[in-house]
């Protein structure tokens, strides 16, 4: 038999409980697909798809107040792989950047000792992804390098900074929410701190205005009181400091830019959300709560659609979607009043109590259709938004226009029999919001959808401490086949939680007692005794509950029957080593001795029995000798029954008889072995008592040791007996050598001592009021120690061994930790862990394997069908890594597998879907724009049948309007759509304007957009006492009388250029636009560095050819080394249809897989021809991709791309198949046919 040295291997882990108030804001859902959440000083990493905690990071000493995942918007390859990187800040001002998979810290950053207010990774430039911006209270923002921990710059502001928000469309803009208002910074850059102090605006609180106090007139039934009142509150942003009453009411909870459209921001108040248009600094939309409604806590704006996820104080999450502005005739005059966000779906609320309240919600940034809600009691509720097709119940009063589902999937129109995943992401669930002037799509091919929230996962934490913990009996050679490492946790509300420590998951929750559980003792691997005592009455008596619980059936009965009412409280229960007997010790009452097997009381000690202070059962017993005796007796019986003659032939039957008898005796438990226990009384005298069957004998007494105080606990294993007293002395007795040795620990009261399981393992765990120690009793020396305030910041409530080398500690921060014997709290390696459900997260793989998995999912052109089994592929790699990749593939949902294996699924759709699966931000943006414009330019080519038709069609390259890019792509959208959107927006601004400033800005916008008549009307509105009255009137005259006569044009052009030269850029540009010289205007704007403005103007005013010139210049500027935004430049070029240039750029940037797949898609859609000029690029791209695949170990893929890469490719082919008798022709014959067929489609 192999000797066992160590128990089942358990990972060190932390079971977490309720959150601290400071953890409220510490939660983030990353592009990597995982949620990070702060719990006291640890950080949990949660997989939302399977609702499992897959890692707990421990290194902070103070409560964690902020966590942020790094962004994934960079091209991933072996040198910049898929990795899980997280930044966390705590209440003592320390920031740690983690490598989550290994659980180690990259770097630690400390600037001040106040809690970090806000954290964000910079994502805008292509050069470095390691920059981390942090707000250090009270008023500093500091830019750090998150990889090395060096400080790049620091800037202080006049007010206390609460949080900040970056403009998602222009990284040089950011807004700080301060204690007094908002500070807008327009010159943010990673290379130097912002130069100016920013533009300060004050928010007059909506409640301070008189409109709120007057009741609204109730004549018109249509808008509700709240809406009416809010229509009056026009100005909310002023540059002057508001009066004192208004300042005290500044209760703005949050500010965020809207990622779905440029230059919009939301401000959250408890009872309303304001949508501001920053060009006018003007409220253009309000979401208000009715008087009886539940206030907001938080709101998260979506990027894919103009929608808001709102969290309310009752834990309800609501989704509000912006109403389309193309309204029906009867609602037309009301429709343009403001942006309206309609409530489309809400989830169930939770029961809010004093200790249970919702803290924060997070939304999946990749798909935006999953929400996680963090509750203060440690629960995490995972909600998924589902779309159901079908009409709503007719409810005309709601006045909601129907939502339609989009007709395309993964960026391409659906094939007739193509599989799809309806709820893949928000923009595949609901179609785009329509804007004015746009024809609604034909209703025939669109389905109405209803949205619902579905609870798909729930993680619950431990309840509030105190806890009593006890590990089940240890692993032995006999129980190894069915052993489960279960930990019993008794809680203050009387329930007992059983955790399985292999997975760290809750195995069972049993409601056993009606008051706080004081202790648990296991009587077998699947049953335990637990006791609880109620609070004492005025005579000091309590109700004692002692329950016997069977885990398999859940049966639970009162072990002491009717006893237990009005008696002194139970101090402790102790079960003997063979689980035969139980001692129950009371405070002021003699102890009771029970037989566990029969549930009978063996002895209740006499009144004069000494008071017990500590008690322990001896590990020695006479079971073996009893069994021997019994065996001998049975053998003799068996011999007598068989006559001598038959003896030899029946030898075997004797053995079987004996075995039979043996098994019977074990089940009937006829044997009652003799066991002993020792206890001490108040004087320190040690008593020894023997129990056999139902006889109890008093043994020897040992007088007290003078050096010890009152004995508090005893532990006994083998020949070692250890006593601990209330003064912190430990006394080690060696029973064989009859020696005793006292050691003062100077740590105060010894609360508990326990020996480690395992034969010959003499380690001892000792618990004090201020910590714990591990001792080696053989050497009589301390192995490790932990003390509150020195190396931990929590108090220990209970201790136990969970294996022979790991301890489990319950602490007052509500956590239970499984630690190594050294008791250093440490994170564990994720790859060593045993998860019950497999987790899809390519980031957990080693970098090379993650890239292999991606290549494997993207393209398998070497066979006619798609496979999800990596073993079927010629892939040279270690088996364990292959196994890990296969596990990832297996963990994909069946829907996802069937879509990926669908032969109808095109290359572009596949690229989009895989970038979503990987949470690869840069891939996702690239393929979204690429697939849209590849298809639209391919369509345009087919439409260009005759020039006359295309003239009638409008611009040839503009695709049909139904299928335009979402407005969140801003300047990348089609011009026609972009123009409509801007007109719609100015229209709204015009309705909302409330001061001369606003009117002037509107008029300027209208002139740039070419809406001269409306602009003139606005200019003529200027009142006579306004200083610019004369100027505006003349301007109105000028605009109306402009003719296209040569001299007037040249005069205006001259004036405009002079204005621009003298620093009046905006005015000069306006004049140029008046005489249709917008192309010159764009050029001037670009010369003066107003690149974004120039792109905007080009989109709304220029014809495609001129506009394309302006945008190409912008793309060149973006590529320049000082700007370094090549990835953005590529998107701009895609929207212009410069596909060849994009291919070249991707290849020169060494984005080999993206380049090759993109060129392949261009060839497939016919927007790039394979001719002499382009072949060089095509072959180079394919060759490099083949090399990349070879380095990943995917040989077939490499061979396929090499075969299409001309002469250099042939060379690579030879290298690939050296020593295998040349190139297997068959593969390529088939493969080329395959690709040939694809390109003819």
């Amino acid at each position: 038999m192999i000797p066992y040295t160590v128990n089942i291997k358990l990972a060190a882990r932390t079971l977490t409980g309720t959150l601290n108030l400071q953890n409220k804001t510490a939660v983030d859902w990353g592009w990597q697909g995982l949620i990070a959440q702060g719990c006291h000083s640890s950080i949990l990493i949660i997989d939302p798809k399977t609702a499992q905690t897959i890692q707990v990071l421990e290194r902070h000493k103070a409560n964690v107040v902020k966590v942020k995942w790094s962004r994934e918007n960079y091209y991933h390859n072996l040198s910049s792989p898929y990795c899980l990187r997280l930044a966390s800040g705590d209440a003592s001002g320390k920031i740690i950047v983690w490598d989550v998979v290994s659980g180690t810290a990259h770097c630690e950053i400390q600037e001040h000792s106040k809690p970090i207010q806000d954290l964000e990774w910079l994502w805008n430039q292509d050069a470095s992804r390691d920059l981390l911006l942090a707000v250090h209270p009270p008023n500093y923002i500091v830019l750090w390098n998150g990889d090395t921990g060096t400080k790049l710059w620091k800037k202080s502001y006049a007010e206390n900074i609460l949080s900040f928000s970056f403009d998602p469309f222009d990284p040089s803009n950011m807004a700080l929410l301060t204690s007094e208002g908002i500070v807008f910074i327009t010159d943010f850059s990673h290379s130097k701190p912002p130069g100016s102090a920013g533009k300060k605006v004050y928010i007059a609180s909506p409640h301070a205005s008189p409109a709120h106090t007057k009741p609204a007139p109730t004549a018109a039934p249509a808008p509700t009181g709240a809406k009416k009142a809010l229509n009056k509150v026009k100005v909310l942003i002023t540059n002057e400091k508001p009066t004192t009453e208004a300042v005290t009411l500044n209760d703005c909870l949050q500010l965020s830019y809207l990622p779905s459209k440029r230059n919009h921001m939301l401000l959250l108040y408890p009872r309303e959300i304001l949508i501001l248009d920053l060009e006018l600094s003007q409220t253009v939309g309000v979401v208000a709560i009715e008087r009886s409604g539940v206030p907001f806590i938080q709101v998260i704006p979506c990027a894919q659609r103009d929608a808001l996820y709102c969290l309310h104080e009752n834990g309800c999450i609501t989704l509000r979607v912006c109403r389309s502005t193309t309204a029906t005739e009867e609602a037309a005059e009301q429709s343009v009043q403001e942006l309206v966000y309609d409530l489309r779906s809400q989830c169930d609320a939770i029961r809010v109590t004093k200790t249970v309240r919702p803290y924060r919600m997070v939304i999946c940034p990749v798909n935006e259709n999953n929400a996680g809600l963090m509750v203060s009691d440690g629960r995490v509720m995972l909600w998924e938004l589902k779309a159901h097709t079908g009409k709503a119940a007719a409810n005309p009063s709601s006045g909601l226009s129907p939502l339609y589902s989009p007709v395309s999937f993964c960026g391409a129109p659906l094939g007739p029999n193509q599989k799809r995943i309806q709820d893949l992401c928000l923009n595949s669930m609901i179609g785009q919001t329509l804007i004015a002037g746009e024809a609604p799509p034909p209703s025939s091919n669109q389905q109405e959808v209803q949205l619902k929230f579905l609870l798909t996962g729930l993680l619950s934490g431990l309840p509030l401490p105190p806890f009593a913990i006890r590990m089940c009996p240890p692993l032995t050679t006999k129980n190894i086949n069915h052993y489960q490492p279960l930990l019993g946790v008794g809680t203050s509300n009387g329930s007992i939680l059983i955790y399985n420590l292999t997975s760290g998951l809750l195995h069972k929750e049993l409601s056993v007692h009606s008051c706080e559980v004081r202790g648990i003792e296991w009587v077998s691997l699947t049953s335990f005794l637990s006791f609880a005592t109620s609070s004492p009455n005025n005579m000091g008596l309590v109700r004692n509950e002692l329950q016997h619980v069977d885990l398999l059936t859940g049966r639970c009965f009162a072990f002491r029957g009717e006893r237990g009412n009005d008696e002194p409280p139970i101090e402790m229960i102790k079960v003997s080593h063979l689980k035969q007997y139980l001692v129950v010790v009371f405070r002021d009452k003699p102890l009771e001795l029970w037989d566990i097997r029969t549930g009978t009381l063996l002895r209740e000690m006499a009144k004069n029995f000494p008071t017990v202070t500590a008690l322990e059962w001896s590990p020695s017993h006479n079971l073996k000798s009893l069994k021997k005796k019994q065996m001998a007796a049975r053998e003799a019986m068996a011999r007598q029954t068989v006559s001598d003659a038959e003896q030899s032939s029946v030898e075997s039957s004797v053995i079987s008889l004996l075995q039979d008898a043996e098994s019977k005796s074990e089940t009937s438990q006829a044997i009652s072995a003799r066991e002993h226990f020792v206890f001490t009384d108040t004087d320190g005298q040690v008593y020894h008592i023997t129990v056999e069957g139902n006889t109890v004998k008093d043994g020897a007494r040992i007088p007290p040791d003078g050096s010890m105080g009152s004995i508090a606990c005893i532990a006994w294993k083998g020949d070692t007996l250890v006593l601990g007293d209330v003064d912190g002395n430990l006394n080690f007795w060696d029973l064989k050598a009859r020696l005793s040795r006292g050691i003062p620990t100077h740590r105060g009261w010894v609360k508990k001592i326990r020996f480690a399981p395992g034969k010959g393992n003499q380690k001892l765990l000792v618990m004090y009021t201020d910590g714990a120690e591990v001792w080696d009793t053989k050497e009589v020396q301390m192995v490790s120690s932990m003390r509150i305030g020195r190396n931990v910041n929590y108090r220990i409530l209970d201790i136990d061994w969970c294996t022979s080398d790991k301890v489990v500690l319950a602490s007052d921060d509500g956590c239970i930790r499984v630690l190594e014997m050294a008791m250093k709290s440490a994170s564990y390696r994720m790859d060593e862990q045993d998860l019950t459900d497999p987790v899809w997260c390519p980031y957990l793989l080693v970098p090379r394997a993650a890239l292999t998995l991606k290549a494997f999912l993207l393209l398998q052109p070497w066979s006619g069908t798609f496979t999800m089994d990596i073993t079927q592929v010629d892939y040279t790699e270690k088996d364990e890594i292959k196994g890990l990749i296969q596990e990832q593939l297996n963990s994909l949902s069946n829907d996802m597998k069937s879509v990926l294996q669908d032969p109808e699924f095109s290359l572009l759709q596949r690229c989009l879907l895989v970038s979503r699966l990987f949470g690869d931000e840069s891939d996702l943006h690239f393929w979204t724009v690429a697939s849209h414009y590849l298809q639209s330019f391919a369509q345009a080519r087919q439409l260009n049948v005759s020039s006359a038709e295309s003239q009638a069609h409008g611009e040839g390259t503009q695709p049909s309007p139904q299928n335009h890019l979402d407005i969140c792509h801003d300047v990348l959208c089609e011009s026609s759509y972009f123009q409509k959107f801007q007109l719609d927006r100015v229209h709204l601004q015009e309705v909302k304007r409330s001061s001369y400033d606003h009117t002037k800005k509107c008029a300027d916008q209208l002139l740039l957009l070419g809406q001269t008549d409306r602009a003139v009307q606005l200019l003529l509105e200027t009142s006579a006492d306004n200083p610019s009255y004369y100027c505006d009137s003349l301007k109105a005259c000028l605009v109306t009388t402009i003719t296209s006569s040569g001299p007037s044009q040249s005069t205006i052009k001259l004036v405009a250029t002079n204005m621009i030269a003298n620093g009046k850029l905006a005015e000069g540009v306006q004049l140029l636009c008046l005489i249709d010289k917008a192309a010159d205007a764009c050029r001037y704007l670009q010369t003066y560095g107003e690149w974004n403005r120039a792109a905007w103007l080009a989109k709304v005013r220029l014809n495609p050819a001129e506009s394309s010139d302006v945008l190409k210049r912008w793309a060149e500027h973006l590529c320049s080394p000082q700007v370094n935004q090549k990835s953005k430049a590529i998107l701009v070029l895609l929207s212009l249809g410069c596909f060849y240039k994009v291919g070249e750029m991707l290849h020169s940037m060494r984005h080999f897989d993206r380049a090759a797949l993109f060129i392949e898609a261009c060839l497939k859609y016919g927007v790039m021809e394979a001719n002499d000029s382009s072949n060089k690029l095509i072959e180079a791209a394919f060759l490099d991709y083949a090399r990349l695949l070879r380095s990943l170990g995917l040989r077939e893929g490499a061979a396929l791309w090499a075969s299409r890469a001309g002469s250099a490719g042939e060379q690579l082919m030879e290298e690939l198949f050296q020593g295998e008798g040349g190139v297997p022709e068959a593969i390529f014959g088939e493969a080329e046919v395959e690709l040939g067929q694809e390109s003819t489609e």
Side-chain angles (χ1 to χ4, degrees), residues 536-555:
N537 61 16
N538 47 15
M539 295 169 65
L541 300 178
V542 300
R543 183 180 74 256
N544 284 319
E545 300 176 3
L546 177 59
Q547 295 278 9
H548 180 287
V549 181
D550 184 347
L551 267 189
L552 300 177
T553 59
R555 178 170 178 255

Side-chain angles (χ1 to χ4, degrees), residues 631-820:
M631 281 288 282
R634 247 189 273 125
E635 271 180 48
M637 278 164 63
R639 279 214 182 82
Q640 283 166 7
T641 54
V642 182
S643 67
D644 294 9
E646 297 162 309
Q647 192 162 355
S648 56
S649 62
V650 192
E651 196 67 36
S652 56
S653 64
V654 175
I655 292 166
S656 63
L657 257 171
L658 283 177
Q659 284 166 339
D660 207 33
E662 173 72 42
S663 63
K664 270 195 190 124
S665 76
E666 275 188 4
T667 51
S668 65
Q669 287 213 331
I671 311 178
S672 267
R674 179 169 69 236
E675 296 200 71
H676 343 251
F677 63 88
V678 293
F679 69 89
T680 55
D681 64 6
T682 39
D683 305 330
Q685 182 159 277
V686 181
Y687 295 77
H688 181 241
I689 290 188
T690 311
V691 187
E692 183 165 10
N694 47 13
T695 59
V696 181
K697 292 190 188 124
D698 194 352
R701 296 183 188 185
I702 303 164
D705 181 333
S707 64
M708 297 283 281
S710 175
I711 304 289
C713 45
I714 310 177
W716 188 345
K717 179 169 182 178
D719 294 324
T720 316
L721 183 82
V722 184
L723 304 152
D725 72 2
V726 291
D727 306 323
N729 300 313
L730 290 177
N731 206 338
F732 297 89
W733 291 10
D734 184 340
L735 301 176
K736 217 180 208 159
R738 302 196 160 211
L739 292 171
S740 86
R741 186 169 166 194
I743 305 252
T745 63
H746 307 299
R747 295 271 305 248
W749 192 323
V750 181
K751 290 280 193 187
K752 257 188 195 149
I753 46 181
R754 289 226 163 112
F755 272 105
K759 196 169 183 180
N761 184 352
Q762 294 288 349
K763 300 278 188 301
L764 180 79
L765 181 60
V766 188
M767 172 176 146
Y768 307 97
T769 39
D770 65 347
E773 287 176 350
V774 176
W775 283 73
D776 184 346
T777 57
K778 271 192 194 132
E779 311 292 327
V780 193
Q781 64 185 13
M782 189 173 77
V783 180
S784 62
S785 153
M786 70 184 330
R787 184 179 288 201
I788 183 169
R790 184 174 299 170
N791 40 11
V792 292
N793 51 359
Y794 45 80
R795 209 164 55 80
I796 290 178
L797 304 173
D798 202 354
I799 57 165
D800 202 355
W801 290 91
C802 57
T803 64
S804 54
D805 62 343
K806 291 213 172 58
V807 300
V808 52
L809 310 171
S811 52
D812 66 346
D813 61 357
C815 297
I816 291 179
R817 293 175 172 81
V818 176
L819 301 176
E820 300 287 342

Side-chain angles (χ1 to χ4, degrees), residues 1188-1208:
L1188 173 72
L1189 288 173
R1190 183 179 71 166
S1191 71
L1192 293 176
L1194 291 168
R1195 277 210 327 199
E1196 287 165 285
L1200 178 95
W1201 289 96
S1203 69
R1204 305 177 57 206
S1207 53

Side-chain angles (χ1 to χ4, degrees), residues 77 146 166 356 366 627 669 691 738 742 754 807 872 975 1018 1024 1070 1145 1183:
N77 55 17
F166 271 108
V356 181
V366 188
K627 280 204 172 154
Q669 287 213 331
V691 187
R738 302 196 160 211
R754 289 226 163 112
V807 300
Q872 293 179 8
S975 300
L1018 290 190
Q1070 252 182 52
M1145 276 183 67
L1183 180 68

Side-chain angles (χ1 to χ4, degrees), residues 263-326:
N263 279 332
H264 285 70
M265 171 181 270
L266 68 81
L267 296 179
L268 173 70
Y269 290 86
R271 300 203 73 84
E272 57 237 324
I273 301 171
L274 307 179
I275 309 290
L276 313 179
D277 188 320
L278 296 178
E279 279 179 11
L280 261 84
S281 308
Q282 175 62 21
T283 313
V284 289
V286 177
V287 180
I289 290 186
E290 297 297 321
R291 190 161 286 151
S292 59
V294 185
F296 295 112
I297 303 181
Q298 185 199 1
V299 59
I300 297 180
C302 300
Q304 301 175 11
R305 291 284 177 260
D306 190 0
L308 309 172
Y309 280 96
C310 314
L311 173 63
H312 299 259
E313 284 180 2
N314 60 355
C316 177
I317 298 174
T318 56
L319 174 66
R320 295 167 187 271
V321 182
C322 188
R323 185 183 297 178
S324 299
T325 44
T326 37

